[in-house]
Amino acid sequence: GTNEVSLEVSSFPAINLEQRLSYLIQYPHGCIEQTTSSVFPQLYLGSFTELSGSRKIEIEANVKEAINRMKKFQTANGGFGYWPGDVVESDWGTNYATHFLIEAEKKGYALPFGLKNKLINYLKTQARNWQPNKSSRVYRNQSHEIIQAYRLYILALANKGELGAMNRMKENKTLTLNAKWRL
C-alpha cells in the first residue's frame, strides 16, 4: 500500500516544474527586475503544484527576503532604482516590483513600514505628470506608453486608481494597441 504510480499523457513536452523552480530560487543576479522575477512566480506555485512543507517554508523565506531586499532599491523619490543604491528610478523596474509587492501583500506578506506608501506616491506623481512621447522612434514611444499603462494598472490594483491620468491616456488618438489593452 505504499507504492504510487502516475502516468501523464500529453501532446506538450513536460514542463519540468521542479527544475524551473530551482532555477528561479537560485537566480544568479540582483537587479530589481531579476530580484522580482525570482520571487513573483513563487507566490503562485502552490496553485499549480502540491508543495512539501519544507518547500513552502523555503518559498516563504525567499519572498520575505526579496521584500526586505527591495528596500535597498528605493530612491529618495520613492521609486526603485535598477540596482541597490541607485539614485535614478527605473520606470519599468518600479512598476514590476510594485506589482509584485501588491500581490505579495494580498497573499499575506507584510511590507516594510513606509515602503508601499512611498511607492504609491511616486507612481501617482509619475502617472499625473506623464505626457505622450512625440519621439519619432516607434519602439521608444510604444515602451513609454506601455510603462504608463502598466503604472495605471498597478495603481488600480492598489485601489489608488488615477482616473484623470487614465482618461487622458485613453483620449490619446495614437495610443498603441498594446497600451490600450493594458489600460
Side-chain angles (χ1 to χ4, degrees), residues 67-141:
I67 289 169
N68 286 325
R69 178 172 161 66
M70 287 181 178
K71 292 186 301 189
K72 297 176 184 174
F73 291 88
Q74 197 161 43
T75 67
N77 291 333
F80 285 134
Y82 198 72
W83 294 102
D86 277 355
V87 295
V88 175
E89 295 81 13
S90 163
D91 287 331
W92 175 256
T94 298
N95 286 350
Y96 186 39
T98 305
H99 188 181
F100 160 74
L101 290 168
I102 290 167
E103 295 298 328
E105 186 177 48
K106 287 179 182 177
K107 292 275 189 180
Y109 289 92
L111 303 183
F113 180 77
L115 180 72
K116 182 180 172 186
N117 287 340
K118 284 180 72 174
L119 280 166
I120 296 299
N121 289 336
Y122 173 79
L123 291 175
K124 285 172 107 28
T125 299
Q126 294 300 107
R128 290 174 186 152
N129 293 333
W130 183 83
Q131 295 292 319
N133 189 345
K134 303 298 182 195
S135 172
S136 60
R137 298 178 68 181
V138 173
Y139 173 76
R140 182 169 289 162
N141 189 38

Side-chain angles (χ1 to χ4, degrees), residues 40 44 95-96 98-106 116 120 123 149-162 166 182:
F40 209 154
Y44 303 102
N95 286 350
Y96 186 39
T98 305
H99 188 181
F100 160 74
L101 290 168
I102 290 167
E103 295 298 328
E105 186 177 48
K106 287 179 182 177
K116 182 180 172 186
I120 296 299
L123 291 175
Y150 190 22
R151 180 183 295 129
L152 293 168
Y153 171 74
I154 292 162
L155 287 168
L157 276 178
N159 296 317
K160 303 289 184 183
E162 279 293 320
M166 289 179 186
R182 174 62 70 183

